[in-house]
Amino acid sequence: MEPIRKHEGLVFPLNRANVDTDQIIPKQFLKRISRQGFGQFVFYNWRFDSKGDLREDFSLNQPKYEGTSILVAGENFGCGSSREHAPWALQDYGFRVIIAPSYADIFYNNCTKNGILPVKLTEEEVQTLISNAEAAQYHLTVDLEAKKVYDNKGFEASFDLDDYKREMLLNGWDEIAVTLTHADKIDQFETARD
């Protein structure tokens, strides 16, 4: 995984609560056997009409959000099923950071295990970010080392993240990579057993 220390990016506002994993990546696109290629289907039923044409009324399709890498959404983001494909799809689309007041637990953990930083801010802070991003192109900096989110107009908010998850994201480690940081101890244990 790619480490996340400080990420600056364009914000996409999704002013919706209870966005479930089937809305993030519909079930008919779960046939792939690798983590790549899901991004083209992210929010498919909102982005495309029944003929497969882009819907002009869904904001992610607007040119001002092209290249977005920070998603700001309402509470309980990622609810529904436990499918890991949802963070895969968001990451493959280009999202590195998600900011919301709350998340479904499994989705939240799947994000940290797959290199997406899920930031929890208050409802009021999230609504400020959504309003700013709906009004015009809006960039944020998310500093995982300092645990802060800020812009160049005076907005600043702090967030918390479990130390273990934070270390994984800062170093770009998945759980196998974390295990391999203890390779010497594992070798010693295996040698002692022989």
Side-chain angles (χ1 to χ4, degrees):
M1 296 187 318
E2 187 178 327
I4 299 176
R5 295 187 180 281
K6 186 184 284 187
H7 178 78
E8 190 272 331
L10 177 64
V11 176
F12 168 64
L14 185 61
N15 196 8
R16 300 181 189 202
N18 303 309
V19 174
D20 69 41
T21 53
D22 195 51
Q23 291 163 321
I24 296 169
I25 180 75
K27 64 186 176 304
Q28 67 266 31
F29 302 114
L30 305 183
K31 300 173 185 169
R32 297 177 178 276
I33 56 173
S34 73
R35 296 178 185 196
Q36 288 76 38
F38 290 103
Q40 62 188 319
F41 306 117
V42 76
F43 301 126
Y44 189 85
N45 293 328
W46 293 338
R47 288 177 52 223
F48 298 94
D49 64 20
S50 60
K51 297 176 186 172
D53 297 323
L54 283 174
R55 297 171 51 125
E56 292 180 16
D57 62 344
F58 186 60
S59 55
L60 189 58
N61 293 335
Q62 296 173 5
K64 76 176 184 178
Y65 298 119
E66 188 174 326
T68 186
S69 62
I70 299 174
L71 170 65
V72 181
E75 66 183 358
N76 198 28
F77 189 80
C79 59
S81 74
S82 61
R83 65 180 69 152
E84 200 168 15
H85 302 79
W88 293 352
L90 291 165
Q91 186 176 51
D92 193 53
Y93 186 83
F95 291 110
R96 297 294 320 272
V97 177
I98 302 171
I99 301 172
S102 61
Y103 298 86
D105 288 341
I106 294 172
F107 176 83
Y108 182 85
N109 289 322
N110 282 341
C111 282
T112 61
K113 291 177 182 181
N114 287 285
I116 295 176
L117 171 56
V119 172
K120 292 180 187 176
L121 296 181
T122 68
E123 180 71 38
E124 184 180 335
E125 291 165 336
V126 166
Q127 284 305 314
T128 296
L129 299 179
I130 287 173
S131 294
N132 290 346
E134 286 176 341
Q137 276 199 334
Y138 181 59
H139 289 78
L140 278 175
T141 300
V142 181
D143 187 336
L144 181 54
E145 292 179 312
K147 296 193 278 188
K148 292 198 178 295
V149 175
Y150 57 89
D151 64 18
N152 62 0
K153 299 174 184 175
F155 176 89
E156 184 175 310
S158 297
F159 65 92
D160 199 21
L161 184 67
D162 172 87
D163 288 341
Y164 176 75
K165 290 175 172 59
R166 183 171 173 263
E167 184 177 6
M168 287 178 66
L169 289 166
L170 284 169
N171 291 292
W173 294 338
D174 60 12
E175 291 181 323
I176 293 171
V178 171
T179 302
L180 292 176
T181 65
H182 303 286
D184 293 344
K185 291 178 184 176
I186 294 168
D187 290 341
Q188 289 172 1
F189 176 80
E190 291 295 326
T191 302
R193 291 193 57 174
D194 289 339

